[in-house]
Amino acid sequence: MKQATALPLQQRLQRQQALAQRLRLPVALAAGLGCGFLIMCAVSSEPLRAFLILLTGALPRLHWSAGEGWQLTRLVRFGAVIEDAITLTLLGLAVAIPFRARQFSLGADGQLFLGALAATVVSLYLPGPWFVVLSLSMLAACASGFLWGALPGLLKTRFQANEIVTTLMLNIVAVQAYRWLVSGWLRDPAGGFIVTPFLPASLQLPVLLVHTNVTVMLLALPLLVWTSWLLLMRTTLGYEIRVVGQSAAFALQAGLPVQRTVWLSMGAGGVLAALAGMHISHGLLKRLPVDLPAGLGYEGLLVALLARCEPRAVPWAALMYAYLRTGALAMERSTDVSREVVLVIQALVILFLVAERMQPALAGGWLRWRARRAEGGRHDA
Amino acid sequence: MNATLRYLLPRLAWTLLLLALLSLLAHWSDRLARKGNDKTVLRAVLFINGTLGDKSFFDSAAKGMRRAGRELPVSVRVVEGGNDPTRWESALADLADSGDYDIVLAGTFTMVPYVQRLAGEFPRMRFVMFDAAVDYAHCACGNVHSILFRQNEGAYLAGYLAAMLLQERLLPGLPANAGLGQVGGMQLPVIDDYLLGFGAGARAADPSIRVAIQYANGFSDPAAGKDIANAQMAAGAGLIFQAAGATGQGVTEAASEAHRYTIGVDLDQYEMYRHSNPQRAAAIVTSVLKNVDVAIVQALSLALRQQLPYGRADSLGLAEGGIGLAPHSEVLDRLPLPLRQRLDAVRADLVSGRVHPPSGFARAGTEARG
């Protein structure tokens, strides 16, 4: 009984950490949603319904009727979740890999724009059978993403240019180049607004779910996640990335090629961001509008942080984020909660999820309280 | 392999369990929703591919929906799609698929391909497309009604008024020999329709007048609008016409700060600023009204009576009341009678078809004029 308080410090810390680890997600979700519910109570006349729709709005519904048997409806909305989750997963991986090498690359945006642009240009202007053109489009996207990712890496290793600054600046260059090309050379004169022509039907990614844009990209996703994980955990480059990320000075002492690791990790991230761009151009939009908003890449940042830069966790984080976002949209659509409130609630949930420090503190507090109670109980006895 | 499975299986199991729990919750919440009473005959939803608050096009459409909701037995909802175009198609498809609505309204050319696709996939849904027309020859769009506006007529009238005001020196505080400026959101047929009409009207009143044109390349960037307006005013523009959605708010701001003048678009912007910001309102001469709200109320009331002509595009101009000039502002209220009569004569010419303002659609080569 006495051990409860006299546990060695290390053991106590370990228990604390394990508990915090296990409680991290549920506590953060509950706290974020709880705060959201309080806000909804303030602004809505039917907060409970709005809250339930936020939680369940994105789900497909399973109905039973005697005539038609089991029926799955609202698949379109769940399709939107999956579409969104695919983009977010790719962007999340794109950010997570350089992060493991401790490179704060914010360049996913520019890589996405260039990837989409390169894939579209190849698809529009290269003749040939579809499988050749499509694979060349993908190659073009990957190559441009790799170059645009490796460039700030090289700038950093050669000229000590801070990668946060260079990636942000290169984003601007990429986005403006994209806008220039789309509004000039690639513009479809009959489009009615500034947009490229539609991709030929044979080059649009095949759709898996009717009425939605859930494409074969969904099937490629596990492969990409697995490859990223393999790259990080089972290859020499991955080992180097992780060592550089944990301590660049140590890696240098150990004779690892730190510079090469840095720019390769950023290039690898660029490839994944460019694939997200191709998912947008060939899967979702099928053509590129000039006003594709910059900032999609930063959502990848969020997903990567939620997943703690662990590739295998990225799809789950992306799915959860997409699920919440779509549920929030559904709530906006069918209740009196307005768009702004929806955005605030979304941000709160994310805030609680990312605020990791809070939970070890909470777990520690709870353990201390339990220990004190145990002590109190002993005194009483 | 084993490690992967050990990693994957528990997580998959947890996800499935969570989904099952949430599904139960979903059934409960659906039952909660169904308790609502239903006196409405028609359930309409307006999808906005952007956000509200532009004080012009989308706000006007939302105003029409609100009015329809008040005056007709229609339940209305306005859904903002946000500024991310990758989510518009799925959101619109969801509205058509949800079964919560009978008729879906959407505007602008951006939405045309989505509506064309959904009209074929959901033949029992009804769609109203405003400020753009679906391509009836090439899609199964028997359930889509399109509303087009002949905005060049209203812009022509505004251009005529603007040139006349400069010529007669009725705008106090302007430098001698001031010209006109125009700010467009993007170079699209609809926007060109405004700009060409305005230029033609201005030259009809004063053939020697200078008219500067620039596009902001975006409908949601007031800062860009302000920059362009300042540049045009520095080059001698005394009055600027803006057809640029929320970007135009920057133009209005720049003009009012420089004590110059502006003509707004879509909604009566003088009326909007009259109480909230009198200084800004003083700079607004008039607005080329695109009565999206009127058109929407009209379309919904026709739809209620089963008389809305689906499978066809209608075009609304000055004669039909779809387009007009805002009647009041500090400048317009002081307008001398002879000038007012000249303006009315031009309006009559436009309505009767004696004057044909140039169209931005002819130039783009689209067959959107229905």
Side-chain angles (χ1 to χ4, degrees):
Chain A
M1 219 38 221
K2 186 83 181 150
Q3 283 99 325
T5 47
L7 275 175
L9 181 67
Q10 191 186 359
Q11 215 171 336
R12 227 176 34 214
L13 277 179
Q14 270 171 0
R15 269 179 62 184
Q16 188 176 324
Q17 264 169 7
L19 191 68
Q21 192 62 33
R22 218 169 309 148
L23 283 180
R24 190 171 82 96
L25 202 63
V27 168
L29 265 178
L33 292 174
C35 284
F37 185 63
L38 289 182
I39 295 180
M40 271 184 244
C41 286
V43 299
S44 174
S45 60
E46 38 182 7
L48 185 64
R49 206 185 127 232
F51 192 65
L52 283 176
I53 290 179
L54 172 70
L55 285 185
T56 65
L59 272 186
R61 298 291 198 266
L62 200 58
H63 290 291
W64 163 260
S65 65
E68 295 166 69
W70 285 104
Q71 260 191 328
L72 208 53
T73 56
R74 289 238 196 118
L75 273 174
V76 169
R77 196 176 289 174
F78 196 63
V81 177
I82 297 176
E83 284 169 28
D84 209 21
I86 295 175
T87 323
L88 290 173
T89 305
L90 290 171
L91 286 170
L93 289 174
V95 177
I97 291 177
F99 262 40
R100 288 297 280 266
R102 202 165 274 263
Q103 300 304 310
F104 296 97
S105 165
L106 304 175
D109 235 15
Q111 293 145 11
L112 179 150
F113 272 74
L114 282 192
L117 192 67
T120 304
V121 168
V122 171
S123 295
L124 283 179
Y125 290 96
L126 207 70
W130 67 268
F131 50 91
V132 175
V133 181
L134 202 58
S135 23
L136 282 178
S137 304
M138 192 173 278
L139 265 182
C142 292
S144 59
F146 182 81
L147 287 180
W148 211 248
L151 186 61
L154 286 171
L155 285 175
K156 175 164 191 185
T157 52
R158 291 288 148 86
F159 306 112
Q160 275 82 49
N162 183 309
E163 78 276 11
I164 298 180
V165 179
T166 48
T167 47
L168 282 177
M169 294 300 120
L170 286 172
N171 279 352
I172 297 177
V173 174
V175 170
Q176 295 304 332
Y178 166 94
R179 293 199 173 143
W180 179 61
L181 281 173
V182 170
S183 53
W185 179 38
L186 291 170
R187 179 171 180 185
D188 177 11
F193 64 109
I194 303 179
V195 65
T196 66
F198 273 105
L199 298 171
S202 60
L203 294 182
Q204 298 172 5
L205 297 177
V207 172
L208 298 179
L209 189 61
V210 69
H211 297 321
T212 68
N213 286 321
V214 178
T215 61
V216 286
M217 210 49 141
L218 180 65
L219 304 180
L221 213 55
L223 202 69
L224 284 168
V225 172
W226 189 59
T227 317
S228 314
W229 179 76
L230 272 189
L231 171 79
L232 275 179
M233 307 308 284
R234 295 284 186 272
T235 64
T236 319
L237 176 65
Y239 175 71
E240 288 164 1
I241 289 179
R242 284 180 292 136
V243 174
V244 168
Q246 271 157 18
S247 165
F250 171 77
L252 206 60
Q253 285 292 323
L256 296 185
V258 174
Q259 302 205 334
R260 195 189 66 187
T261 308
V262 165
W263 66 262
L264 270 180
S265 74
M266 292 174 82
V271 169
L272 288 158
L275 284 176
M278 187 163 169
H279 167 63
I280 286 176
S281 66
H282 285 57
L284 298 185
L285 296 176
K286 286 126 185 151
R287 57 177 181 173
L288 291 175
V290 72
D291 54 354
L292 193 67
L296 292 169
Y298 304 125
E299 280 161 5
L301 194 79
L302 222 114
V303 170
L305 287 179
L306 278 182
R308 302 171 135 198
C309 300
E310 157 65 57
R312 290 183 305 184
V314 165
W316 309 100
L319 187 67
M320 198 193 68
Y321 186 39
Y323 182 86
L324 267 183
R325 280 221 293 197
T326 309
L329 278 184
M331 174 171 78
E332 184 202 340
R333 255 169 244 167
S334 39
T335 65
D336 57 350
V337 180
S338 74
R339 180 180 175 75
E340 288 75 13
V341 177
V342 166
L343 291 178
V344 168
I345 292 168
Q346 224 171 294
L348 273 178
V349 173
I350 299 299
L351 201 66
F352 276 102
L353 280 178
V354 180
E356 288 180 50
R357 277 293 179 79
M358 194 185 75
Q359 285 138 40
L362 273 183
W366 187 62
L367 283 180
R368 266 199 304 280
W369 176 76
R370 225 177 50 159
R372 208 175 305 144
R373 211 181 54 163
E375 213 168 307
R378 215 171 38 250
H379 282 312
D380 289 345
Chain B
M1 199 62 211
N2 250 341
T4 315
L5 278 185
R6 252 206 314 277
Y7 177 85
L8 212 55
L9 283 179
R11 278 162 180 80
L12 267 178
W14 273 109
T15 312
L16 286 181
L17 186 72
L18 201 68
L19 282 181
L21 275 178
L22 283 173
S23 284
L24 281 180
L25 211 60
H27 271 278
W28 186 44
S29 79
D30 283 355
R31 206 161 301 159
L32 214 65
R34 231 168 277 142
K35 278 180 193 156
N37 61 330
D38 236 306
K39 276 183 206 158
T40 55
V41 186
L42 190 70
R43 298 163 303 169
V45 60
L46 165 69
F47 181 77
I48 285 181
N49 48 322
T51 51
L52 290 176
D54 61 353
K55 304 224 186 290
S56 65
F57 187 73
F58 289 138
D59 281 354
S60 175
K63 192 175 138 199
M65 291 301 277
R66 280 196 302 273
R67 220 182 87 200
R70 275 197 313 272
E71 296 173 4
L72 303 168
V74 179
S75 76
V76 293
R77 185 164 288 283
V78 178
V79 172
E80 292 170 90
N83 288 323
D84 180 359
T86 61
R87 302 170 63 83
W88 290 343
E89 185 174 7
S90 55
L92 196 67
D94 183 31
L95 293 182
D97 174 70
S98 65
D100 295 339
Y101 307 103
D102 306 310
I103 186 163
V104 177
L105 299 93
T108 77
F109 262 95
T110 317
M111 303 309 287
V112 166
Y114 305 149
V115 171
Q116 285 181 347
R117 203 193 88 182
L118 291 176
E121 287 177 0
F122 297 94
R124 284 161 65 192
M125 278 300 293
R126 298 279 177 250
F127 296 88
V128 171
M129 187 86 234
F130 56 92
D131 208 29
V134 294
D135 187 358
Y136 289 104
H138 296 101
C139 73
C141 295
N143 48 349
V144 185
H145 174 70
S146 306
I147 305 170
L148 288 164
F149 295 91
R150 297 194 299 275
Q151 49 271 332
N152 55 349
E153 297 180 354
Y156 184 92
L157 205 57
Y160 193 90
L161 169 70
M164 202 167 66
L165 287 172
L166 288 185
Q167 210 175 19
E168 307 286 333
R169 304 195 59 87
L170 280 172
L171 298 173
L174 287 193
N177 200 17
L180 294 173
Q182 302 197 68
V183 178
M186 282 191 201
Q187 193 175 8
L188 330 171
V190 177
I191 298 302
D192 276 343
D193 213 32
Y194 278 112
L195 302 188
L196 288 173
F198 186 85
R203 273 185 289 278
D206 177 1
S208 66
I209 199 159
R210 285 175 299 129
V211 185
I213 294 189
Q214 192 168 348
Y215 299 96
N217 281 331
F219 288 98
S220 48
D221 192 353
K226 197 169 174 181
D227 277 349
I228 294 172
N230 280 326
Q232 290 188 341
M233 288 188 295
L239 186 153
I240 299 177
F241 170 53
Q242 53 95 357
T247 303
Q249 295 315 304
V251 177
T252 313
E253 196 181 315
S256 84
E257 281 171 9
H259 298 290
R260 300 208 179 168
Y261 297 89
T262 169
I263 290 179
V265 79
D266 293 346
L267 274 183
D268 188 345
Q269 298 184 344
Y270 170 77
E271 187 59 35
M272 262 185 302
Y273 281 124
R274 195 154 63 104
H275 299 296
S276 65
N277 193 338
Q279 194 211 346
R280 200 172 287 187
I284 300 171
V285 173
T286 179
S287 300
V288 179
L289 302 179
K290 179 181 278 187
N291 294 323
V292 180
D293 50 345
V294 177
I296 283 180
V297 174
Q298 203 180 359
L300 286 180
S301 71
L302 281 177
L304 269 179
R305 281 178 274 144
Q306 316 279 336
Q307 285 168 352
L308 194 66
Y310 295 103
R312 211 181 81 190
D314 278 346
S315 145
L316 307 178
L318 274 179
E320 295 86 359
I323 294 288
L325 278 196
H328 293 289
S329 75
E330 284 173 30
V331 178
L332 275 188
D333 292 343
R334 287 197 309 263
L335 199 66
L337 192 62
L339 296 191
R340 198 176 286 273
Q341 283 165 344
R342 261 173 77 188
L343 199 65
D344 285 340
V346 175
R347 187 195 309 264
D349 282 347
L350 283 166
V351 168
S352 66
R354 272 195 297 278
V355 172
H356 272 295
S359 164
F361 291 94
R363 206 164 72 166
T366 52
E367 295 290 319
R369 300 257 81 190

